[in-house]
Amino acid sequence: MNGADKPALTVAGQSMLTRVLAAVHDADPRVVVGPVPSDLPVHVDSTRENPPGGGPVAATAAGLALVPVDVSLTALLAADLPLLTGEAVDVLRLTVESAPMHGALYRDAEGRRQSLCGVWRTAALRDALDRLAAKRGNLHGAPMRELLDELSVMDVSWRRPGPPPWFDCDTDDDLRAAEQWAR
């Protein structure tokens, strides 16, 4: 999208970041890894991976460093999911709470795991990041599949009508489609 700050782009009058944060309105804390606009309508804790641009695994570790150890579950969400809802996050949370797995993520109709649309047991996610960092030496550039290999994951299907909650906006066409669906 030509270097645009995707989370700041609007869908139905709200930034995608604001829409994602609304889906986890009751989370405490809410952590954003990356730039946070000064006019964000909700409080968040923010951080960056070091060095910046380390990818989603390094960003996960940076964000998790701001989550207190007594927080039992952590939602790990991309900031460009404008159609994510609290209901979709609740489905993942309830799945994790009812299964002996480390986490739950959505799997799309083509069988692809949506690795940045999940809920995790916080301690298990921390342990997996530690194991992966020990194997690799650092997390910069680590692919999400390597992190997922360190975790037991429950795949969840979304069977409700309408667009899937993991729909992300990577192109202008995606942004236009999200705008249509959000109306």
Side-chain angles (χ1 to χ4, degrees):
M1 298 182 80
N2 297 325
D5 179 11
K6 290 193 314 179
L9 298 175
T10 60
V11 171
Q14 291 184 310
S15 72
M16 286 192 277
L17 177 58
T18 299
R19 295 176 69 86
V20 170
L21 291 169
V24 291
H25 67 90
D26 56 348
D28 184 30
R30 286 185 283 184
V31 177
V32 173
V33 180
V36 175
S38 60
D39 62 346
L40 191 67
V42 298
H43 171 76
V44 298
D45 296 323
S46 64
T47 189
R48 293 296 304 252
E49 68 272 30
N50 188 11
V57 175
T60 298
L64 205 54
L66 297 184
V67 176
V69 294
D70 64 337
V71 171
S72 61
L73 297 175
T74 296
L76 179 58
L77 306 166
D80 66 344
L81 305 176
L83 306 175
L84 184 69
T85 63
E87 176 191 14
V89 175
D90 284 345
V91 167
L92 294 168
R93 180 184 53 78
L94 292 169
T95 300
V96 173
E97 290 176 343
S98 66
M101 307 299 277
H102 294 141
L105 0 126
Y106 285 109
R107 183 181 288 266
D108 68 20
E110 289 78 38
R112 290 183 303 263
R113 284 183 165 164
Q114 302 302 310
S115 58
L116 294 178
C117 192
V119 172
W120 300 94
R121 295 185 192 281
T122 305
L125 187 55
R126 279 187 215 284
D127 291 346
L129 286 162
D130 289 346
R131 286 191 305 274
L132 186 56
K135 285 180 184 177
R136 293 178 54 89
N138 68 61
L139 297 174
H140 190 83
M144 282 300 291
R145 70 175 153 31
E146 286 185 23
L147 178 59
L148 295 179
D149 287 347
E150 298 291 327
L151 294 156
S152 60
V153 182
M154 176 72 71
D155 295 328
V156 177
S157 297
W158 183 255
R159 301 195 187 286
R160 288 163 181 73
W166 61 81
F167 181 84
D168 63 343
C169 291
D170 292 328
T171 67
D172 290 330
D173 287 342
D174 293 341
L175 194 60
R176 282 190 288 278
E179 185 70 36
Q180 289 295 319
W181 279 325
R183 288 187 184 165

